[in-house]
Amino acid sequence: MKFHIALIPGDGIGPEIVTEAKKVLDRVAEKYEHVFTYESLLMGGCSIDVYGESLTDETLERAKKSDAVLLGAVGGNVGNSRWYDIEPSKRPEAGLLKIRKGLELFANIRPAYLYEELKAACPLKEEIADQGFDMVIMRELTGGLYFGTHKTEEIDGVSKATDVLTYDEKEIRRIAVKAFEIARKRRSSVISVDKANVLDASRLWRKVVNEVAADYPDVTLSHMLVDNCAMQLVKDPAQFDVILTENMFGDILSDEASMVTGSIGMLSSASLGAGKLGLYEPSHGSAPDIAGQNVANPIATILSAAMLLRYSFDLDEEAAAVEAAVKQVLAEGYRTTDIMSEGCQLVGTKEMGDLITARI
Ligand code: IPM
Ligand code: MG
């Protein structure tokens, strides 16, 4: 089959990890006789340096024309990068929000899985880690607080900032449907997370999710308040299969879930819309402090490429081959610094990419 992939290397470690993921995709194309063509697009700080904005309309249009987008990471150090002090709508992160909205990618899938081989890296108590866990966070990605109006004003000499949180029932329904569909392919359980004891948006969320659940009698649904969920993720992560939640809660909880795996460098993500076009990126950031040193872990991006094969191209066998190659390399004891443990073999970004590629 023939597919066109837009690569957005971005900033920091982005270019290095995308290079390794592309190597893996090329190997998949060769082995399974597909043709993948690529184009590289600028987004983030690197685009600000050239065009004065994080994502130009023209770049967005080119991304729209591709079959899938693979992204590294965008942004510099929060607080002290040269891109931090510019107007919010022009910062590196603005490009990320713009591409999600522009491609109408309302569903963000973030798996958090404890690899048997990496149990030692799990920061939880041994008796909790021993049970293992395998969950998926389904985060609403184009609504809520991050896309409401933002304003800062001065009223009677007092500065006041406002961010508006809105959801309509359609936005809730379409993400809920995705969550139930994914649950059906997993362990058939959805825990919907909200703050319905305080927020109207959460009450509507709960009501609509209950309505959608009626169409999925084979999937178990329960509701959990977000503060309790934050606690349960460290107390008993094994209870979660699919967590369905709104934009900001999903942003926060997915960082927490990835941290309890002990290795944020391992976690992939997919952002999907109504069609096949998706955006795939590691769950971690651009790590500017280690950029260009051949030490970043490329596995999250490589696993994101596997998700790309599965969700945008329907190439399930190829995706599974990439995932199996990652597991094999870990089982053989190869580690990048972030997941290194005693008795293992330390390798760099490039070597890790080569090892995985060679096992496909
Ligand atoms: C993420 C990031 C982004 C988000 C930022 C960089 C805008 O934290 O992908 O989780 O909040 O969505
Ligand atoms: Mg985040």
Side-chain angles (χ1 to χ4, degrees), residues 7 14 76 91 103 109 148 222 224 259 293 318 342:
L7 299 175
R91 284 182 201 148
L103 302 182
I109 308 177
S222 54
M224 194 180 270
M259 195 55 232
Q293 297 170 29
E318 289 82 341
E342 229 185 288

Side-chain angles (χ1 to χ4, degrees), residues 61-242:
E61 284 314 309
R62 284 169 63 187
K64 270 186 195 165
K65 291 198 179 98
S66 70
D67 296 308
V69 183
L70 183 68
L71 169 70
V74 295
N77 272 324
V78 172
N80 66 3
S81 87
R82 65 182 178 284
W83 307 308
Y84 185 71
D85 281 329
I86 47 187
E87 185 208 316
S89 68
K90 298 218 155 55
R91 284 182 201 148
E93 294 76 9
L96 194 54
L97 298 181
K98 180 172 169 180
I99 197 168
R100 288 171 179 169
K101 193 79 173 178
L103 302 182
E104 294 178 71
L105 306 173
F106 60 84
N108 184 218
I109 308 177
R110 297 189 168 183
Y113 171 78
L114 188 61
Y115 279 81
E116 191 58 43
E117 295 80 5
L118 301 180
K119 268 192 178 160
C122 175
L124 302 178
K125 280 191 190 149
E126 216 177 304
E127 61 260 35
I128 303 176
D130 274 348
Q131 307 210 353
F133 56 85
D134 175 1
M135 70 183 93
V136 155
I137 299 193
M138 180 62 90
R139 168 188 176 192
E140 199 292 326
L141 202 59
T142 51
L145 202 51
Y146 295 9
F147 289 92
T149 37
H150 308 289
K151 69 173 176 199
T152 305
E153 60 202 328
E154 203 174 294
I155 301 172
D156 299 332
V158 178
S159 292
K160 182 177 167 183
T162 309
D163 301 280
V164 178
L165 165 59
T166 314
Y167 269 108
D168 70 37
E169 57 179 302
K170 288 187 193 149
E171 290 173 304
I172 302 168
R173 188 162 289 114
R174 64 185 184 178
I175 182 80
V177 166
K178 288 253 186 208
F180 281 93
E181 290 290 336
I182 284 237
R184 261 191 180 157
K185 295 189 182 176
R186 294 174 46 93
R187 303 193 305 278
S188 295
S189 150
V190 172
I191 296 185
S192 174
V193 173
D194 62 36
K195 188 70 186 171
N197 53 346
V198 178
L199 302 175
D200 268 42
S202 283
R203 283 172 192 253
L204 180 64
W205 183 276
R206 212 175 256 224
K207 177 173 172 279
V208 176
V209 171
N210 280 330
E211 284 165 16
V212 173
D215 295 332
Y216 297 85
D218 50 319
V219 177
T220 320
L221 168 69
S222 54
H223 301 277
M224 194 180 270
L225 295 173
V226 61
D227 42 358
N228 183 29
C229 182
M231 189 176 84
Q232 295 297 333
L233 277 171
V234 291
K235 198 172 153 227
D236 178 19
Q239 70 185 290
F240 297 105
D241 178 14
V242 176

